[in-house]
Amino acid sequence: MKYIISIDQSTQATKAILFDGTGKFIKRVDRKHRQIISEEGYVSHNPNEIYQNVVALIGELITTTKIQTEYIVALAIANQRETTVMWDKNGQPLADAVVWQCSRAKDIAEKYAAFSNRIKDITGLQLSPYFPACKMRWLIDHVKPKTDYCMGTIDSWLIYKLTKGRSFKTDTTNASRTQLYDIHAGVWSDELCDLFGIEKSHLAEINDCNAIFGYTDIEGILPIAIPITGVMGDSHAALFGHGCIHEGQVKTTLGTGSSIMMNIGTEVKHSSNGLVTSVAYSMDGIRTFAIEGNVNYAGAVITWLQNDLQLIKNANETEEIIKDSNKNDKTVLVPAFTGLGAPYWNAQAKAMFYGMSRTTTWKELVKASVESIAYQITDVLNAMVSDTGISIKEVKTDGGPSRNKYLMQFLAETSRKSVYVSSVEELSAIGVAYMSGISLGLYKQEELFKQNRYEVSKYHLSKSDWREIIDRWNEAIHLIQKNHNE
């Protein structure tokens, strides 16, 4: 009997999940951490709190399952991407972590605007304060570290702490999201490190996802040190967990926002439609790439209905409300509360309900809000097809909002794809656990993905009916764009 512990360190909480020697899910435990919001609106996390939660959760997992610790053979890590930490060589944070959502480095990004095309050529990413390069520059400017220090994403921080400073490493997926990684050469870019004023000696060593990142006894919880292997950014881990290992396979993870990612194979392809390119995963020196679009408002739209408009008490109500709504109502919501993201990239756009009539009620507004999630994902899928020339036949989905059957059916209709809804939510944890087990020879890759279970939604609308609903959405988008231009 052998076990792998998988850590999914996400924006709101940390999860520890136990998998057995066949890749079967055994148990999950969770612990939230504080969301530190400053007067300026800066979003931060306490790195020590996150690390302490990881250690405590592993202890809780072992205690509650009563497994024998000598049978735990590896630790795998999936992490919130882009969140950036600075710490000294003794493993003490020099500041709170700058969370991926935080835009405090926007002035720094604007400073480098003239280099945006070159940055995208090298990294596959749009210049943005969202990525760690600008966050690192902000930390250097404001912390002004007096001692030798390290900077990296959450995976590097956890690996450093778990190995007591013996290992300072990251994986290719996280490196490719920093805006400092040369996606063509697979190394830190000298040119971009010089541009942002970041010394490579302060950055982690880049490894394949299935490498050994170090050894840990997890603060003495285990009798012997085990390897840390299977390290990936959470969205990349979900792609792998879905079994999207062939070119053209697509997954969308629905949470507060939505990450739509396509496996594009072993050759870099740049987007002409506002999407980004990064490493999907790498194994044994072979890198597989992905093209990705991010929707800012997926589950956040449902939260808006609940907390701000107070039209619903919880997300589960929306399906019944939609069943009781007027199916002929033509209202569309464009949820551009913070502008339009991929593939439009109009930061000045404003949210809008469009197409309401005198008979539109609050129930139709709920219906339009839920449908807006599918419309946005469909636009990203269409951009992917345009960028790559790859036909998409099916989309695999996971995350809380994927439990809404109406939404999944509407996504099938708008995209005209088969939508495969995962029976489990922990795809990021599953992906890194699979990567870990494969690297140790514990799991056979060809057998793993056969375990995945899905509920399938297929499209049924005629082309004319499909065209009608798509035209309504496009009319609303066009109107918003037109108003901005005027």
Side-chain angles (χ1 to χ4, degrees):
M1 186 61 68
K2 294 180 179 179
Y3 299 96
I4 289 173
I5 292 178
S6 181
I7 298 298
D8 182 4
Q9 202 299 295
S10 62
T11 310
Q12 299 291 330
T14 303
K15 298 179 279 290
I17 300 100
L18 185 68
F19 294 86
D20 71 9
T22 67
K24 181 183 176 183
F25 173 96
I26 303 296
K27 185 177 176 64
R28 161 183 158 178
V29 291
D30 307 63
R31 187 168 295 198
K32 290 187 176 181
H33 55 266
R34 289 178 300 143
Q35 305 299 307
I36 305 167
I37 313 296
S38 73
E39 290 181 0
E40 301 94 337
Y42 297 167
V43 187
S44 305
H45 291 159
N46 182 328
N48 274 332
E49 182 186 8
I50 288 174
Y51 175 65
Q52 289 159 7
N53 283 353
V54 167
V55 174
L57 285 167
I58 293 172
E60 181 183 347
L61 196 62
I62 292 169
T63 301
T64 55
T65 57
K66 299 180 180 178
I67 61 170
Q68 293 177 276
T69 52
E70 58 264 34
Y71 295 137
I72 300 170
V73 296
L75 180 68
I77 298 173
N79 59 286
Q80 53 171 312
R81 303 179 300 173
E82 293 92 25
T83 295
T84 305
V85 189
M86 173 187 276
W87 67 95
D88 66 24
K89 292 292 185 177
N90 294 319
Q92 291 304 310
L94 296 175
D96 283 335
V98 183
V99 179
W100 62 270
Q101 298 164 307
C102 186
S103 61
R104 73 183 73 179
K106 63 180 184 300
D107 291 342
I108 291 173
E110 290 172 4
K111 173 183 172 183
Y112 294 110
F115 303 96
S116 59
N117 289 338
R118 180 60 181 157
I119 290 170
K120 186 175 181 184
D121 287 343
I122 295 171
T123 67
L125 307 175
Q126 310 268 1
L127 173 64
S128 173
Y130 175 90
F131 297 113
C134 291
K135 298 182 193 300
M136 289 179 183
R137 186 65 253 169
W138 189 94
L139 283 167
I140 293 168
D141 291 344
H142 289 79
V143 174
K144 296 180 171 47
K146 302 294 189 296
T147 60
D148 198 9
Y149 61 92
C150 304
M151 291 190 295
T153 41
I154 290 290
D155 60 309
S156 297
W157 162 249
L158 292 179
I159 291 165
Y160 195 93
K161 292 290 286 183
L162 287 164
T163 62
K164 295 180 169 53
R166 290 187 293 270
S167 183
F168 180 32
K169 297 182 179 182
T170 190
D171 84 291
T172 51
T173 67
N174 279 291
S176 73
R177 301 291 296 186
T178 61
Q179 208 141 64
L180 294 171
Y181 177 82
D182 186 329
I183 199 169
H184 305 280
V187 297
W188 296 124
S189 166
D190 289 328
E191 181 179 342
L192 294 184
C193 285
D194 288 345
L195 178 66
F196 286 99
I198 295 168
E199 293 182 27
K200 287 199 294 182
S201 61
H202 294 152
L203 301 176
E205 176 190 318
I206 303 169
N207 291 259
D208 287 328
C209 303
N210 67 336
I212 301 294
F213 289 79
Y215 291 83
T216 180
D217 63 4
I218 311 168
E219 299 287 350
I221 290 175
L222 302 181
I224 60 171
I226 60 171
I228 302 170
T229 180
V231 176
M232 305 173 77
D234 53 9
S235 192
H236 310 257
L239 183 79
F240 191 76
H242 275 295
C244 295
I245 58 174
H246 300 295
E247 185 176 0
Q249 290 184 303
V250 177
K251 71 89 194 177
T252 178
T253 298
L254 292 143
T256 302
S258 180
S259 162
I260 305 99
M261 187 178 280
M262 174 195 273
N263 181 325
I264 58 172
T266 55
E267 298 293 329
V268 175
K269 298 180 179 73
H270 287 289
S271 173
S272 301
N273 291 283
L275 309 183
V276 300
T277 305
S278 56
V279 177
Y281 58 87
S282 64
M283 303 174 72
D284 302 324
I286 299 174
R287 292 180 300 154
T288 298
F289 298 96
I291 198 165
E292 181 179 4
N294 293 94
V295 168
N296 293 333
Y297 282 86
V301 175
I302 310 303
T303 303
W304 174 68
L305 290 176
Q306 179 179 339
N307 296 343
D308 298 288
L309 297 191
Q310 298 183 357
L311 295 181
I312 59 173
K313 293 179 181 178
N314 60 69
N316 297 331
E317 292 182 344
T318 57
E319 282 193 74
E320 287 302 316
I321 291 168
I322 291 170
K323 284 181 184 177
D324 198 35
S325 68
N326 179 0
K327 303 301 179 291
N328 296 317
D329 187 85
K330 301 184 186 307
T331 304
V332 170
L333 168 67
V334 180
F337 300 109
T338 53
L340 283 170
Y344 296 102
W345 296 107
N346 182 344
Q348 308 306 317
K350 304 297 182 184
M352 175 182 70
F353 278 112
Y354 173 74
M356 289 189 292
S357 70
R358 179 62 184 82
T359 60
T360 299
T361 72
W362 67 276
K363 293 179 180 178
E364 286 73 49
L365 299 186
V366 170
K367 174 173 170 284
S369 298
V370 171
E371 291 175 347
S372 73
I373 301 170
Y375 280 125
Q376 294 175 93
I377 294 170
T378 295
D379 283 346
V380 173
L381 293 173
N382 291 338
M384 286 177 167
V385 173
S386 177
D387 277 333
T388 65
I390 299 171
S391 176
I392 301 171
K393 293 182 172 56
E394 62 186 43
V395 179
K396 294 183 176 178
T397 66
D398 64 276
S402 69
R403 298 287 168 263
N404 187 310
K405 292 185 179 180
Y406 178 83
L407 171 59
M408 294 296 96
Q409 184 59 46
F410 195 71
L411 175 58
E413 302 296 359
T414 56
S415 66
R416 295 183 76 76
K417 320 289 180 199
S418 294
V419 176
Y420 285 68
V421 183
S422 174
S423 62
V424 295
E425 294 184 19
E426 298 88 358
L427 266 298
S428 294
I430 288 170
V432 290
Y434 284 0
M435 182 66 72
S436 178
I438 292 168
S439 74
L440 296 174
L442 190 62
Y443 303 157
K444 290 184 171 62
Q445 180 171 306
E446 60 272 16
E447 295 177 2
L448 278 177
F449 304 119
K450 294 177 183 177
Q451 299 180 146
N452 295 350
R453 296 290 177 265
Y454 295 92
E455 185 173 324
V456 185
S457 296
K458 295 181 179 292
Y459 65 91
H460 302 293
L461 287 180
S462 66
K463 275 206 168 182
S464 59
D465 289 341
W466 167 76
R467 175 48 61 191
E468 182 181 344
I469 64 172
I470 292 298
D471 283 348
R472 287 205 301 269
W473 170 257
N474 288 336
E475 285 170 11
I477 292 290
H478 176 74
L479 185 59
I480 285 176
Q481 300 280 57
K482 180 182 177 184
N483 287 345
H484 169 65
N485 292 335
E486 290 177 351

